[in-house]
Amino acid sequence: IGETLDDAAGEAFDKVARMLNLGFPGGPAISKSAEKGNPTAYKFPRSYLDKNNKYNFSFSGLKTAVKIEIAKSSIKNHSSKITHDIASSFQQAVIDVLSDKLINAAKEFNVKEVYLAGGVSANNLLRSEVTKKLSADIKLSYPKNLIYCTDNAAMIAGAGYFLSQKYPNRIGSWKEGEVRSQLELN
């Protein structure tokens, strides 16, 4: 339904955490810092794209806006308040876009259940926002145990399965060790 046009959400979290010197992985580091910040302190952009790309994601502009704000605030000598406010405002911008697009897609395609998966699914704000925005007749599921909120082999295997179903004559045997990127398949 939608895909990233540049940086994925998790990648954006990692890069912004690095800019703020918060450590790796970025998701938990940003989330922890954001708890102490103001999510409205900075007016970071939300990329909703045009009608033809309404479910795609783009976080490069947001990442650039954060970089510019860090430069303006002299991040080398910044206070922890500035760091927390930037982290919180950044996180809110990502969560607004992810949750809005998810809710709109769920409504448009009349789904009965939504699953949050991948690294960003561990984000408590994302879980909370999606829970608030989903209608009562749509079930929300996500891993309770955070060790299952990773970009893992099962997700890669699932993607490989669906690609092999879509392009049965273009994927080599796994026994041959042949690997092709999605770009080669299109």
Side-chain angles (χ1 to χ4, degrees):
I1 295 173
E3 61 188 342
T4 184
L5 300 179
D6 43 49
D7 289 349
E11 184 179 2
F13 271 97
D14 290 341
K15 289 178 179 178
V16 169
R18 188 175 328 125
M19 286 187 252
L20 292 171
N21 298 314
L22 293 175
F24 184 85
I30 292 280
S31 184
K32 183 177 179 181
S33 180
E35 290 174 5
K36 301 171 193 158
N38 176 357
T40 62
Y42 296 93
K43 301 295 181 211
F44 291 133
R46 273 88 168 143
S47 179
Y48 288 102
L49 306 171
D50 62 35
K51 291 179 184 177
N52 295 329
N53 295 315
K54 66 182 176 179
Y55 295 122
N56 286 345
F57 300 95
S58 174
F59 293 110
S60 63
L62 171 59
K63 188 181 67 184
T64 300
V66 170
K67 185 175 183 176
I68 290 167
E69 196 56 53
I70 289 170
K72 285 194 317 189
S73 66
S74 301
I75 199 70
K76 301 297 182 206
N77 299 312
H78 70 284
S79 71
S80 59
K81 177 174 178 15
I82 292 171
T83 298
H84 299 321
D85 285 349
I86 290 174
S88 187
S89 297
F90 163 78
Q91 177 180 249
Q92 188 65 58
V94 172
I95 300 310
D96 285 350
V97 171
L98 291 177
S99 61
D100 287 350
K101 286 179 181 267
L102 174 64
I103 300 310
N104 291 338
K107 289 177 184 175
E108 180 178 337
F109 295 101
N110 197 30
V111 301
K112 303 294 181 218
E113 190 164 356
V114 170
Y115 297 88
L116 294 180
V120 179
S121 72
N123 185 286
N124 286 328
L125 182 61
L126 176 63
R127 292 175 178 206
S128 172
E129 290 290 318
V130 172
T131 299
K132 283 192 298 191
K133 293 177 181 180
L134 268 180
S135 61
D137 58 332
I138 300 175
K139 181 181 177 189
L140 174 63
S141 296
Y142 51 79
K144 303 287 187 253
N145 190 329
L146 296 182
I147 66 167
Y148 299 115
C149 296
T150 60
D151 297 326
N152 58 42
M155 291 172 59
I156 301 302
Y161 169 79
F162 289 112
L163 282 172
S164 71
Q165 298 302 301
K166 186 173 181 178
Y167 304 104
N169 297 324
R170 296 180 71 189
I171 305 257
S173 166
W174 66 272
K175 291 179 182 178
E176 297 167 6
E178 183 176 337
V179 177
R180 295 185 185 183
S181 73
Q182 184 176 359
L183 293 174
E184 291 177 10
L185 295 174
N186 290 333

